[in-house]
Structures are given as C-alpha cells and as structure tokens.
Amino acid sequence: MSCNASETLIECKGVIDFPYSERCCETRGLAFFDDQNGNAYAVMSAFIAGFIGLVVVTLFTNQVLREPRGTEHMQFVSEKIHAGAKAFLHKEYFYLSIFVAVLFIALSVLLKGDDDEEKYDGVYTGISFLLGAILSASAGYFGMFIATKANVATTQACTKSMNDGLRVAFKSGAVMGLTVVSFGLFGLSALYIIFTIEQEPEKAWRYISGFGFGASAIALFARVGGGTYTKAADVGADLVGKVEAGIPEDHPSNPAVIADNVGDNVGDVAGMGADLFESYCGSIIAAATLGYAEYRYKKGCGGCYGNAAVALPFWIAGMGVLCSIIGTFLVRTNADEKKMTPNEVLDSLLWTIRKGIFGASILVVLVNAGLVYMTFGSFTRDGNDNLPWKIYGCTIIGLAAGNIIGTFTEYCTSYSFRPTQSIAEASNTGPATVLIQGLGVGLISTAVPLITLVVTIISCNALAGQYGIAISAVSMLSTLGITLATDAYGPVADNAGGIAEMCEEDVNEETRVKTDALDALGNTTAATGKGFAIGSAALTSVALISAYLTDVQNKLGAATFDVKIDEPVVLSGVLIGGTLPFVFAALTMLSVGKAAATIIYEVRRQFRKYPQLKDTSWKPPAGVPEYETCVAISTEAALIEMVVPGSMAVFVPAGIGFLLGPKALAGLLVGSLSSGTLLAITMANAGGAWDNAKKYVEKGGLGEGKGKRTSYHEAVVVGDTVGDPFKDTSGPALNILIKMMSLIALVLAPKFQEANDGEFPEDWWIGMTILLALAVVLYFFQVWSTKRYARLEAELAAEEPASAAGVEVEMTKTKDAKAAAVAAI
Amino acid sequence: MSCNASETLIECKGVIDFPYSERCCETRGLAFFDDQNGNAYAVMSAFIAGFIGLVVVTLFTNQVLREPRGTEHMQFVSEKIHAGAKAFLHKEYFYLSIFVAVLFIALSVLLKGDDDEEKYDGVYTGISFLLGAILSASAGYFGMFIATKANVATTQACTKSMNDGLRVAFKSGAVMGLTVVSFGLFGLSALYIIFTIEQEPEKAWRYISGFGFGASAIALFARVGGGTYTKAADVGADLVGKVEAGIPEDHPSNPAVIADNVGDNVGDVAGMGADLFESYCGSIIAAATLGYAEYRYKKGCGGCYGNAAVALPFWIAGMGVLCSIIGTFLVRTNADEKKMTPNEVLDSLLWTIRKGIFGASILVVLVNAGLVYMTFGSFTRDGNDNLPWKIYGCTIIGLAAGNIIGTFTEYCTSYSFRPTQSIAEASNTGPATVLIQGLGVGLISTAVPLITLVVTIISCNALAGQYGIAISAVSMLSTLGITLATDAYGPVADNAGGIAEMCEEDVNEETRVKTDALDALGNTTAATGKGFAIGSAALTSVALISAYLTDVQNKLGAATFDVKIDEPVVLSGVLIGGTLPFVFAALTMLSVGKAAATIIYEVRRQFRKYPQLKDTSWKPPAGVPEYETCVAISTEAALIEMVVPGSMAVFVPAGIGFLLGPKALAGLLVGSLSSGTLLAITMANAGGAWDNAKKYVEKGGLGEGKGKRTSYHEAVVVGDTVGDPFKDTSGPALNILIKMMSLIALVLAPKFQEANDGEFPEDWWIGMTILLALAVVLYFFQVWSTKRYARLEAELAAEEPASAAGVEVEMTKTKDAKAAAVAAI
C-alpha cells in the first residue's frame, strides 16, 4: 500500500475484530490522535484550558479581595457570615471525610480484581474517587470563601454605582464557575494521562468513573445537607424572629440571621456548584467511555477514532472555558436606578447577564465546528462521511436544549407571565386554591422540558448514536463557566442586600435600592439556573446509563446482555427506580421541618437569655446574640437529616445491582431518571412560581388593596412556604439522586453478575447484605433521632411552658391585623 | 403407541413447532379442554357464573326496591337525587355514544386487514369494543339506579336498627359489584364462544381486546368526567352555600345540594365500578392472551394447554363470583350505637365488612387449588410437574398483594395511625406545614405498595412466567363482587345521612347517629378501595403490556423485536410516558376549579332570584330552588373539562405508536405505568390523609380547645380542600390513564411497524397526522372554552358587582370568629 505525498501511511493499533482494512492513508494534520502519545495529547487541550481558567480565577480573586469593604460594622457582619460559612463547611467536611473514607475502602475492596492485571482496579478507582471528592469539595470551599468575602464588597461598591456592584458580585460568581470547570478539567485530564501510561483507555475510563462518583458524594452533602441547612435556618429565623419576636427580616438582633445568610451561600454557591461539577464531569466521562467503545475499532482515512472520540468532549469543554472567560468580560451594565423604573432596571440587568451567556454560546457554536472537523474531519466509513457535521449538529442541539429548558423555566416561574400570575390570582379564593394552582402549574410544566429532552435524545441518536447524546450533554454544559457564575452571583447579591439592611446606619437608601435591584436579578437567574441544572442532570444521566450498559455489555458480551423492558426483573427495576425519587423527595421535605424545629428552640433560648434583643433599637455588644450556636445547630441538624436519604441514594442501587443483577439496575436507573426528572421539575417550578406569586402580590400585581397584609397575601405566603423546601431542598436533591445512582452503577459495573430469567445472580448475598444492613442501620438511626427530637422538645417544654401559647397569641395578633386590613378594603 | 385402559390416546392439534411427541396418553377427567368443543367449554364456567350472579342481582334488587321508603319528604329528596343522577348519566351517555361511535369507526377502518382472512378484523374488534362499552355503561347505569333508590331505604331502615340499615345499603352495593362482574364474565365468554366458531383462539383474543378498550372508554368518562363533576358540585355547594350564604351543609335550601349528592354516586358508584370493570376484564384478557401464546404448543400428558391456560382465568373469576355471593351473606352486624362508643361501633362495623371479604377470600383460596389442578393438573414438561402448584402460588400472591396494599392504604389514611395524626399535628404551625406533611406522607407512602407490586411481579414470574403475573392479577380481582360492594356501599350510606339531615323533622336524632356511623364506615372502606383499585390497575397494566408485546412479537417475530431499554427510542418512550400522568393529573386538577366556577355563578344566580333561600326556616315550594339547573350545569362543565385529558389519553399513545413505532410505545407504557402508579398513590393517600386529619381535628384528636373553629381546624381544612381533587379526581383518573393506554396499544398492536434504529416507521405519517390533528383540535377547543369562561365571568360581573366584596366580608367574618376562638384558648 502506498500513499500520496501529502498523506502518511498509518496503522490502526490494538485492533481485535476490526472489519475494515487495517492500514490506510491519512491526510496529515487531521485526526492526529492515533500516534504513540495520542492518549496524553487527546486531553492536553483540557489540561491547558484548566490552567488558563485557574489563572483567570487567581486574577479575579485578587481583584475581589482588594475591593474596599465598607465600614467596620459592615465588615463585622460580613466576617460573621464568612466565619459561619466556614464553620458549616468545616463540620460538613469532617463528616464528609469519614463518609468518603468509608466509600474509598468499600470501593477498593469491592472492585479488587482476582488476577494480577486487575488487582489494583479497586485502588485506582478509589484514588479517582478521592480526587473527585477533594476537587469538588475544594471548589465548593473556595467558592464559598470568595462569595462570603464579595458580599460586603458588593454592598460597598453599590455606594458608587450599580455597575460596580454588579461587577464585583458577578466576578465572585465567575470565580466559582471557573474554579468548578477548571478543577473538573484538570482532574479528569490528569487522571487520564496518568492511567493511560500503563493501561488501555477503556480501563482508564473505568477507573475515572470513580472521579465522577467522588464528585457526586460531595454533591450529595452539598445539595441534600446544604438544602436542609438553608431552609431550616430560613424558617427558624423567620418563624421565631419575625413572627414571634416581631423583629424585621435580616435584623442583627435575630440570633439566626447569620445562619440564614450562610444558608443562601450553602445552597446556591456550594450546592449548585457541586451539582454542576458532577454533571460537568459526568457528561465528559460518559462521552469518553461511549466514544472510545464505539470508535476504537472504527476507522476511515484517519486511523482509529478511539482517541478522537475521547478528545472531542475535552476539546469542547476546554474551549468552552475560554469562551466563558470572554463572556464574563461582556457583563457590564449602564442601568441607572434613578432614571429607570425597577422593572426597566431588572430588564436591563437581565440583558446584561444574557449578553455574557449568549456571547459565550455563540463563540462555542463557532469554535465547535472547528473542533469537530479537527477530530472527526477525516472520518469516512460506509460512505458516512457526514459524521463530523452530524456530531456538530449534536453540539448545537445540546446548547439549544439547555437554553430552551432554562428559558421555559423562566416563563413558568417569572411573574411577568401567565402561569405565576394565575397562581397569584387564585389567592382570591384562599390558600387551598393557590396550592392547587401551583401544583397544577408545576405538574404541567414538565411537558416542555421533557419533550425537549426527548427530541434531543432522538435527534442526537439519529445523528450520531449514543455518543451523539453524550456529546450534546457536554456541549450543553460547555459554557458552565459563565452560567454557573450567574447562579453563584445570586447569593452574593442577596447577602449584599442583607448586609445593607443590617447596617442601615452605614449605607444610604440609594445603596439599598441598588442592592435590591441586584438581588431581584439573582432571583430570576436562580430560577433559570435550576431548570438548566435539572435538564443537564437528566441528559448527563442518559449518557451515564448508556455508558454503564456499554461497560456491562463489554464484560458479559452484548449478545447475552439485552435489557428488555418486558422482562419482569427490568420492569421491577423501573418500578423501584421510579419510587426512589418519591421517597427521597418526601424524606428531604420532611427533614426541613425537623431541622427547623431545633433552630427554633435555640432562637427562643437566646431570646429568653437576652430579652433586650427584642428591642430593635438596642445595639448588641460583641458575642450577643450567639450567632455561632445557631450556625452549629443548623449544621448538625442538616447533617443528621441527610443520613437517611443520603445512605439510601448510595446503597439501594448498589444492593439492587448485586441482588437482582445489572438488568434490574438498568431498569432502576431509567425509572429513577424518569420520575426523578419529572418530580424535580415539578417541585422546582411550583416552588419558584409560588415564590414569585408572593412577590407579585406584594408588588401590587393584583391591583389596589390586594397587596401585603391582606387575605390575598396570606394565601400566597402559604404557597411560598410550601414551595421553599420544594425548590431549595427536595427538587435540587433529586438532581443528585439520579446522577449519583448512574455513577454508582457505572463504577460497580464490572462486578455485577447476570442470572437466568427467574433466578438470582450468584452474588445476590452481597446485595442482600447491603440492603439488610442499610435497613437495620437506618432503623436504629431513626429511633435515635426520634428520641433526640423528643428530648429537645421535652427540654423546651420544661424550660418554657408558655412558649406554645406565645406563638398562638402571636398568630392571633397577626390574624387580627389581617382581618382588620381586609375589612378596611 | 398404546395407552392403559384408564387413559385415552390424544393428539395435539394445530401444532407448528412443537418440540415434544405429538401424541400421548391422557388420564381421563383431567385437562379436558382439548377436544373439539374445548373453546366453548373453556369459558362455560364463566358464562354460568355470570348467569348465577345476575340471578342474585335480580333477587337483591327486588329486595332493595321493596324496602319501605320513609315519609313523603324523604321520598321527594331521594327522587331528586335519583332524577339528578339519571340526568347526569343521560347527558354523559349522549356524548359518550358519539365518542364511542367515532372510535368504533376508527377501529373498523384502522384495523381492517388487507386479505380476505383479515378483512373483518376491524369490524369484529369494533363489535367487541361496542359490547364492552355498552355493558360497562349499563352496569354503571344500573348501579347508580339502585344506589339512588337504596339511599332513602337505608335512612328508613336505620329508624329500625343499624343492622337493617347496613343490610339495605350493603345489598345495593352488592348489586353494583355483582352486576359488574357478571356483565364482564358474560360479555367476555360470549364473545370468545362466538369468535372461536370460525377463528383461532389467538385471533379471537385480538378481537376481544376491543372489549377491554370499550370498557376503558366508559371508565374514562365515568372517572374523569365523574371525578370533575363530583368535586365541582361539592366545591360549588360548599363555597356559595356554606361560606357565602351561611346555610348548613346538606340543607335543601342550597340549590347545589342535589348535585353534590348526585356527585357522590357519580364518583364512587359509576366511576369506581367502571374503573374496576376495566381492570377485571383487562386482567382476564391479558391472562388469556399470554396463556394461549405460551401454552398452545406446550403439552405434557394432558394435551396442548392452550385451552387450559385460557380456561383458568375464567374459572378463577367465575368461582370468585360465587364466593363473593356467599361472602355478602356474612355481612350482618349487631353493633349497637347505644351501648358502644362511636369508635367501637366503627370497629365493629369494619369487622362486619371484613368478615364478608375475608370469608370470600378464604373460599377463593380453597377453590383455586381445585381449579388449578383441574386445568393444569396433568401438565408435565421438562420434569416441570410442579407447574400447577406454582400457578396456585401466583393466585395466592395476587390475593395477598391486593390485601396488603388495601390495608397499608388504611394505615396511611386512617386517623387511628401516626401518618394522619402527624398531619393533624402539623396544624400547630399553620396550613403550610399541614400541606408539607401531607405531601410528604403521600410521597413516602408509595414505597410499600410499589415494593409489594415488585415482589408480586418477581415472584410470580419466577413461579410461572408472565402468565403467572397475569393470573395473580385475575386472582386479586376475583373477589371483586364483594370488594366493589363495599365501595359502592359508601355513597349510599353517605346519601342516607344526607337525606336524614335534609329531612330532620321526619327522622329522630337516633337515626342520624346510625346513618353517621354507617357513613364513617363508608369513608374507611373508600380509602381501602382506592388503594386496591390502584394496585389492581397497576398489576393489570403489567399483564396488558406483556400481552401487547407478545402480540407485536408474534407479528414481527420475536428475534427482530427486542425492546431494549437503552435504545434511545425506548428511553424516549419511557420519558414521554412518564410525563403523561403528570400532565394528566395537572389538567384534571385544574379542571375542578374551572367547573366549580360555573356552578358558583349558578348558585349565586339562584340566591339572587330566591332571596328567601337564605332563610333556612323557610320551606321551599316545589321547583324552588332549581336543583336540575345545577345538575345540568355541572354535567356540562364536567364533560367540557374532560375533552382535553380524555382525548390526550386516547390519541397520544396511538400517535406515538405509529410515529415512533411499537418499541417507543412499549417504553411509553412502562413509563406511564411507573409514574402514573406513583402519582396515583401519592395523590390518593395524601388526599385521604388530609381528609381524615380534618376529621381528627374535628373530633378533638389534638386535645381540648384545638377542634372546630380554631386556627388548627382552619389549617387542616386547607389540606382537605387541596386533597379533594387529589383523591377524587386526579388520582382515580390516573388509574384509567395507565390501563387505557395499555389497552389501546394491545388493540392497535397488529398495525404498528418497526423501523431500524434512528429511522421512522413506514406509517409514521399516520402518527404525525393523529398528533397534529390532536394538537390543532385541542388548541381551538382551549380557545373556545377559555372564551366561554370569560363570557360567564363577564356576565357575572355585570349582574352582581358586589359579589366579590361579599366573599371577602364573609371571609373576614369567619376569620374574626376564628381569631376570637384562638384568643379564648
């Protein structure tokens, strides 16, 4: 065989059952991933992009930290929040490290192979797991660190201009966003380079799946624990501080006010960050696993495409980081709250943020064309030489799908549109109809995102198979550097407003108008961000499930492993999987109430200890109130409450996989993907819509005399209270559940055994042991925690016999006021 | 080959690829279904049992109709309810007949085969469809007829003793129960006998699947339309009558009171009856289809088992009817409301009902052993001579599963247990926590029923394959004659109480205590019945999905038709299927509000026209208030509101089947089975628990001073109001959705075409046409109905400008009273 002068003769390496000619001519300069160093080369782009990302992070961090930080009092409050956030994270990470250590040992033991070649499988996967956990935790820590530093800087910057405030807050958000993507790319590419020194890429990806699992372990703590923390602190602060003691929101006299502000960061910075870190890494892992499996033996005039298929997601993600960085520079506003109405300011700010995201997206669209051409440009097989363009199509579909889901979420939850307005109008007939309308909106709002997902799946599959689906997920998440920045921006702006409120003597009214405007922007981007997080989690899970099945098929042989939906064991898996999100949502929802109760007791205790706190004109000296105790108590409660749902999420899929086999587990994953996504969308959208329906009523959307302190407002407040755990605890926790279970399946895939129809696998006893141990441990834990709450309640009853009556009298008072207001209409 | 004297030499007929010897010796007297007349003989048992059932129905009807019917006023009220129910059914059946006619034509055209042999396929399926629809509608009509006659007889009988009241009410329930099962058995066996004169049993079952579809068309109208009707009337009567006008519940001055009482019958008699008629017939159809497919070529020393496999479900169902009849005679109580506390009376009555159900169940367990031995007794293949006992195991598992799900539902929704009490206690912190706790209970209560279903599916599959699963569903429903009687009993007792209330001058206080006790029993059995209905619907759907896949595989060849869960088109189907119940639940939930609005306008109109109605001491002359208008208006509103969800349920699965192929449809069925069952359980249990939490608070369960007219009560009332559409409209409607879609798939199975991965089937344009037409029609319908509501609202606004203010003042009044009550604690 001889080639033209412009071509090189190449051979395909490691080919086993390759149906095409094993040698062919290659046009130089294209598809350069099949040489000796192809493995390292394939992911080098990501390594470099991660490095550039971190340089920018350092730059931004430096800028944010050098910003002026206002008066002493402002710095004092900010330091309290900062210290509270650190306290939460230190305590959380302490328990987390135990959890991670246990799982590390479990993985090392469970995955240890029998022969020489496989004997380090467990340890290698375990190391990936550790690195994933450490990087995700560090990104969260760093994001919280900068967010709790930037809040007061934002308040101070707002004394100058809105643009200054926006830039500081957004820059700190960008630090979080870029840290997440840079750490993700760094970790994945480093592991791949190291593992492929000695191992086949296929095996390397099996190890690296542990990285995703490590990320999801952190996400579990950040989302489930953090979600419980934030709402427990919120409810505790409101119920005792605002309702019982009658002091205003965000007032420094409220002992739980710092915990409440810490909670905002915990949920929307660390929680959202860890969630999307998991999706980001998960989608890349799935794409690389699927791509290598599909293309390792396929070649056209460009060699084997295994490395090209691995390289593409890294290139897309890596260039996405650079596009995101450019996008962040587009975020600057000339909105002027003096010349514009609040709505105009919000629209202007929204446009500012969108400018950044759209800019980054357009760049990604342009760049991706080049990337696809570079990797798959010379692929020609079966006359299928349109493959590059088909894959490119998948990247565009993925980006579009993410934007459609995000925009539709905004439609459902913003009070500029009918759905949320209809909920507000239902307050006409009381809280029950507000709830029915809200649940209706939440349930029906699943249609558009799910149809979008289905169209994405079907069209990407038609274009480029399951690899195409995975690539669309990678592409959807490629601008994460900037989309996550808009999420992490929210709590900074929220805290900035809180600080302005708490330090009202240090900042003028104008500044508070500015921080309020920035906060309103944060609320809108938060809703969009939640939709995007769910959509990307679902698409990532689809790709991870495919990767899991590919792995199992590789091990058991594709012919013997058909997961037919009509096999009773698969159907049973679907039903079990469908049930898990329902139970998980229930547990997390009920947790909030229990955790909030412990804070309520503590806040009441402090009000008894320092009665002068109720006098809001009194200035508390240092150490009064004891903010730290509230932070510590909510942290403890949140961590206790996450034991049951958290351990279920980890051990049920593992147990079912061993007990009923990998087919049942595949069914479980699909079932939980479906019902988890649906429930997450329902809860997030209903919660968001209730929240904004309340704001709509407060802003006078229903017309004269139907605003605050009327029966209308009372009704929408009930909706908002129900919606809080929906949108901030249970809904986001479901994202983690569906991804985490897919990742556990992927990690344990090589260990599952298949049985004949109607029989149990050989290792069923492992599964049985896991499930029984789980049941026993959870039972005793439940007994213990029930006793704990009973003890707390008894202590409370002994200490303050009049407290319950106190609440009632207070409620009566509120009601009288309301009744009077209504009568006055 | 020669046989012993006690044996006969038999040959297996119609064998194509039969791997065993084609002739063998048979012990006479066993497995007698393979002679020439086997087909007719196989189902003769059911034919006879149906006949006996109808004899008993006539007997019971006669007895109920001859019961004394109280004073003239009582008869007047009862006649109004009776006439209202008839008016509702006549109007509903008018639209229903159009719907049925359209579907009959559609089936006849769509299923018309190309060659001579198949050219009547469409017509035969259409005839089955018509018969199923007619029988289900007749059973509903007859059940409503007798229930609305029995209500006043029950009130009158209660003036004698509680036992007399119970017997009358229960007997009328038994009429409904036995009519349903007898009609079902009659219809199915007659069609089978007729179709097998000329056709193979396989083909006969394909035609008969139309019967199930016909039943589900009626169930759709009865459950969705009926569910909207009952809650709209309830809300309308309460909101204007009780809240605005301040007249007591069930007072004859309320123009919507008759509509409200009719609604009880519509939902729990006609709705529940049609729902379970569908499950009952569906499970038999699935078992026969699966059994014939699996056993037609299998034989041991007993001939081919095709007919035996068809016969077994008919025998189980037929003997079940007889066992149910015996069970009804066990229902008699000696509870004495004078010597016992209300709780003791309830326990005693519950035990009375359970005696009947348990008695029938024990008989069924005994009889089934004989039936299995008789049909499969001589089956020996591959040394698998335990098959009869394995199948017998499936019948017991099915019965047990039904009872476990029913009992667990009672645990979740009865205020004797923790879940409901915890909801009531959450009223301590207001309506929002009541809602959160209730939703939490509803969501988590899915775990036990789903695990029960999974264990049933896995164990029956291990014992006897998919046929075993279908048989377990048949067995679960075999005592339907008596379990349905306990459901249909509820509204009769409820109405009896209502009549006692409306005719307080004709009956004494003692009688009302008795009717109240009977009503309380009805509320408890209603909750259990709902759990049972969902469980049996899910298991029936599992069997129907298997039957559908068997049919498609028969047509396309099993080798080419693997529904692999990881194929994107199947996964997409699962996601679409999962979404449908969420959308369906939202639509039905929101419908209630819209339909209720129209009744509110009408009731207000009548209060303006007859202002003297508000004076409750005034006796209305005949024709005042105009009860009939309220009935007509709720009927119309309910029928309008069911157009969107109803047509979605029918046309979306058909459209997807043609557009994306039978694999996607299989995914859709599994997805909707999973999320539909979960959502139905969540809604039914949350709704039931909220309802009973309210009753718990009213009965003083929270302690002194925490009952009616306190903030506690106010909070649980909100829960109850949200729960009403949950448990009586959306939840039950989901049962129909999942079964109906499986039946549509089964009926259309022969027409679907498969395509290669990534391509569309040849007939995709049919699917596209169906879906587009649906979208267009629904769009214009939505525009029309929105305009209609807007017009109604405008009319209202023009006529009574002060009405809105009226509500508010009323609400304020209520609130002041409540505030005063709370302050007084």
Side-chain angles (χ1 to χ4, degrees), chain B residues 717-742:
Chain B
V717 164
V718 173
D720 182 41
T721 313
V722 175
D724 262 351
F726 264 49
K727 72 178 198 307
D728 291 324
T729 312
S730 302
L734 291 172
N735 285 355
I736 311 299
L737 179 75
I738 56 177
K739 281 181 295 183
M740 177 169 223
M741 298 206 297
S742 319

Side-chain angles (χ1 to χ4, degrees), chain A residues 173-184:
Chain A
V175 168
M176 179 68 193
L178 292 172
T179 309
V180 160
V181 292
S182 303
F183 277 14

Side-chain angles (χ1 to χ4, degrees), chain A residues 797-814:
Chain A
E799 280 185 31
E800 40 164 352
S803 74
V807 189
E808 269 149 32
V809 170
E810 202 55 47
M811 285 172 84
T812 316
K813 210 160 61 188
T814 328

Side-chain angles (χ1 to χ4, degrees), chain A residues 435-436 443 450 458 461 466 549 562-566 568 572 578-579 582 589 678 712 757 808 812 816 822, chain B residues 435-436 450 458 461 466 549 562-566 568 572 578-579 582 589 678 682 712 757 808 812 819 822:
Chain A
L435 287 162
I436 292 176
L443 288 166
L450 264 286
I458 289 184
N461 178 57
Q466 298 190 329
L549 288 170
D562 275 350
V563 190
K564 294 186 207 162
I565 211 167
D566 52 331
S572 298
T579 312
F582 277 68
M589 218 162 82
L678 287 161
Y712 303 94
D757 194 17
E808 269 149 32
T812 316
D816 279 333
V822 173
Chain B
L435 263 297
I436 291 176
L450 265 286
I458 289 184
N461 179 57
Q466 299 188 329
L549 287 169
D562 276 349
V563 189
K564 293 187 208 162
I565 210 166
D566 52 331
S572 297
T579 312
F582 278 69
M589 216 161 83
L678 288 160
T682 302
Y712 303 95
D757 194 16
E808 268 150 31
T812 315
V822 174

Side-chain angles (χ1 to χ4, degrees), chain B residues 760-784:
Chain B
F760 288 104
E762 206 184 311
D763 280 352
W764 66 270
W765 59 272
I766 300 182
M768 196 47 118
T769 312
I770 292 175
L771 292 177
L772 284 181
L774 179 69
V776 171
V777 169
L778 290 190
Y779 174 77
F780 283 109
F781 180 80
Q782 201 61 41
V783 169
W784 173 79

Side-chain angles (χ1 to χ4, degrees), chain A residues 239 428-432 435-437 439-441 443-444 446-447 450 453-454 457-458 461-462 466 469 542 546 549 553 562-572 574-576 578-579 582-583 585-587 589-590 660 666-667 670-671 673-675 678-679 682-683 706 711-712 714 718 721-722 725-726 757-758 760 807-808 811-812 815-816 819-820 822-823 825, chain B residues 239 428-432 435-437 439-441 443-444 446-447 450 453-454 457-458 461-462 466 469 542 546 549 553 562-572 574-576 578-579 582-583 585-587 589-590 660 666-667 670-671 673-675 678-679 682-683 706 711-712 714 718 721-722 725-726 757-758 760 807-808 811-812 815-816 819-820 822-823 825:
Chain A
L239 215 64
N428 188 23
T429 33
L435 287 162
I436 292 176
Q437 191 72 24
L439 285 168
V441 165
L443 288 166
I444 212 167
T446 54
L450 264 286
L453 281 174
V454 165
I457 292 169
I458 289 184
N461 178 57
Q466 298 190 329
I469 299 174
V542 171
S546 297
L549 288 170
Q553 275 166 357
D562 275 350
V563 190
K564 294 186 207 162
I565 211 167
D566 52 331
E567 272 187 61
V569 75
V570 177
L571 187 61
S572 298
V574 173
L575 293 177
I576 297 172
T579 312
F582 277 68
V583 173
L587 288 172
M589 218 162 82
L590 297 176
L660 300 178
V670 170
L673 167 68
S674 164
S675 85
L678 287 161
L679 214 49
T682 303
M683 294 184 117
K706 297 184 176 182
S711 67
Y712 303 94
E714 187 192 359
V718 173
T721 314
V722 175
F726 264 50
D757 194 17
F760 287 105
V807 189
E808 269 149 32
M811 285 172 84
T812 316
K815 241 166 232 150
D816 279 333
V822 173
I825 295 167
Chain B
L239 215 65
N428 189 23
T429 33
L435 263 297
I436 291 176
Q437 191 72 25
L439 285 168
V441 165
L443 289 166
I444 211 167
T446 53
L450 265 286
L453 281 174
V454 164
I457 292 169
I458 289 184
N461 179 57
Q466 299 188 329
I469 299 173
V542 171
S546 297
L549 287 169
Q553 275 166 357
D562 276 349
V563 189
K564 293 187 208 162
I565 210 166
D566 52 331
E567 269 186 63
V569 74
V570 177
L571 186 61
S572 297
V574 173
L575 293 177
I576 297 171
T579 312
F582 278 69
V583 173
L587 288 173
M589 216 161 83
L590 298 176
L660 300 177
V670 170
L673 167 68
S674 165
S675 84
L678 288 160
L679 214 49
T682 302
M683 295 185 116
K706 296 184 175 182
S711 67
Y712 303 95
E714 187 192 0
V718 173
T721 313
V722 175
F726 264 49
D757 194 16
F760 288 104
V807 188
E808 268 150 31
M811 286 173 84
T812 315
K815 238 164 232 150
D816 278 332
V822 174
I825 296 169

